[in-house]
Amino acid sequence: MPVNNPFSAYQEVAKKTLDGPALEAYVLNRAAQLLIECKNQWNESGHQERLDKALGYNQKLWTFFQVELANPEHSLPKKIREDILSLSIFIDKRIYEVITEPDPGKLEVMININRNIANGLQGNAIGS
């Protein structure tokens, strides 16, 4: 499964019979893991490729969420959709910040957002 394509991840995991929230938690955790690997290996060989992969995966994933949640017929309550859409705008801005001024510390907030939402989808207490 190509790691840089969250939509392929969705398809592959869906074959394993995960439902919507479990599938969304899976791809959010995968997005967080890519960022963690990038942060932990910041000064190692292959850094730029890892960074590009992690940021690209996150951007595609959050763009997918934006498209889904912008639909007024989506099953989530409007306030929750708006809150998640606001987070997606923040993620977009942070990705741009990391691209223009790379710093491993800027990845932490994206890692936490991805993990917290994944935890919520899995019914776990939200924490960092």
Side-chain angles (χ1 to χ4, degrees), residues 63-119:
T63 298
F64 179 79
F65 288 154
Q66 288 170 352
V67 170
E68 288 293 311
L69 294 170
N71 178 357
E73 311 255 332
H74 195 280
S75 62
L76 281 176
K78 184 178 179 185
K79 175 68 173 136
I80 293 173
R81 284 192 331 238
E82 289 171 348
D83 290 346
I84 296 172
L85 285 169
S86 291
L87 279 175
S88 73
I89 293 167
F90 173 82
I91 295 285
D92 285 345
K93 288 178 183 176
R94 181 52 59 109
I95 288 170
Y96 178 75
E97 289 173 9
V98 174
I99 290 169
T100 58
E101 295 180 34
D103 178 346
K106 293 179 181 177
L107 301 178
E108 193 65 36
V109 71
M110 290 190 293
I111 293 167
N112 289 335
I113 289 170
N114 288 344
R115 283 179 156 177
N116 286 335
I117 293 175
N119 284 338

Side-chain angles (χ1 to χ4, degrees), residues 1-7 9 27-28 30-39 41-42 45-62 91 95 98-99 107 110 114:
M1 146 175 58
V3 77
N4 62 351
N5 187 338
F7 309 107
V27 295
L28 282 161
R30 179 66 182 138
Q33 187 58 41
L34 288 171
L35 292 168
I36 291 167
E37 290 170 8
C38 186
K39 183 179 173 198
Q41 299 171 24
W42 191 263
S45 176
H47 159 70
Q48 190 61 50
E49 182 178 313
R50 275 188 302 280
L51 181 62
D52 292 345
K53 184 188 309 183
L55 294 178
Y57 187 97
N58 274 273
Q59 186 173 38
K60 288 175 186 173
L61 175 60
W62 281 92
I91 295 285
I95 288 170
V98 174
I99 290 169
L107 301 178
M110 290 190 293
N114 288 344

